[in-house]
Amino acid sequence: MNKYIWFLLLVPFALFSQKSNLKTGDLLFQKMNCGELCEAIHAVTEGFDGNDFSHLGLVLIEKDSVFIIEAAGNAVRKVTLEQFSENTQTIMFIGRVKSKYKKLIPQVISFSKLQIGIPYDDDYLYDNGKYYCSELIYDAFLNAYGEPFFELQPMTFKQPNTNEFFPAWVDYYKNLKIEIPEGQLGCNPGGISTSKKIKIVGKLN
C-alpha cells in the first residue's frame, strides 16, 4: 500500500483519537480569529503556559457525538465540535477539573443547558442577564459549587503600561453607546485556563 493511501487512512483515525480524549464537562480553550478585539484581549490576559485564549466552551458528549455549549454569536447555544473548531486556525487546549471536583459536572451541564437561548453579553458586564463565553462557565461552576469556583478580576481595556484604551475598544463601546467598563469585575478564558482547580490534559487540532 503506497504512502498516500496510508495518509488518507491515518488522518480520520487521528481525528477520532483526539475526540476520544474529550469528556463531558471538559473546557475547550481556543484562540479565536476576531481581529483587533481578540488581539486586545490577548495583550492583557495570559493563558495556560503563556498561550493566548479568547474563547472557551463546555464539552457535552451525547450518543457518541461531541457538542460544545458556548456563549457566542447572538446567544448561548449548543454546536458541534466541528462548528466550534471553525472559530480558530490554531490548536485548542482541553481543560478538565481535578478529580475532587468531578461531582460538580452534572450540575454544571444542567445549568448550562438551561441557559441556551440567553442573549450574548455584548457589553461584557457581569451579572446583567446575558452571557459572554467565560461568564457562562463562571456562573455554571458557581451554581454547582455553591460559591465562586473561578475568580473574578478587575477588567482592563487599556494598552499595557499605558493609560490609553485600545482604539478597538473605544470604537466598540462607542457603537454600543455605553462607557468602557474599565476596572469592573469579570473573567476571561485565559484566567480560567490557569486556575489551580483544573488541569490542561491535552490538545485538539
Side-chain angles (χ1 to χ4, degrees), residues 170-183:
V170 173
D171 292 341
Y172 181 85
Y173 281 101
K174 184 177 180 180
N175 288 333
L176 291 178
K177 298 181 180 179
I178 63 174
E179 292 186 7
I180 297 175
E182 178 70 18

Side-chain angles (χ1 to χ4, degrees), residues 25 37 42 55 66-67 70 72 76 84-85 94 100 102 112 130 148-150 153 160 175 177 180 191 198 203 205:
L37 288 181
H42 299 154
H55 189 47
V66 181
F67 298 96
E70 62 170 353
V76 178
F84 184 79
S85 300
I94 305 166
K100 62 181 178 179
K102 286 183 179 179
S112 299
K130 301 184 288 185
F149 187 81
F150 298 115
Q153 299 288 344
N175 288 333
K177 298 181 180 179
I180 297 175
I198 72 169
K203 301 177 182 178
N205 289 330

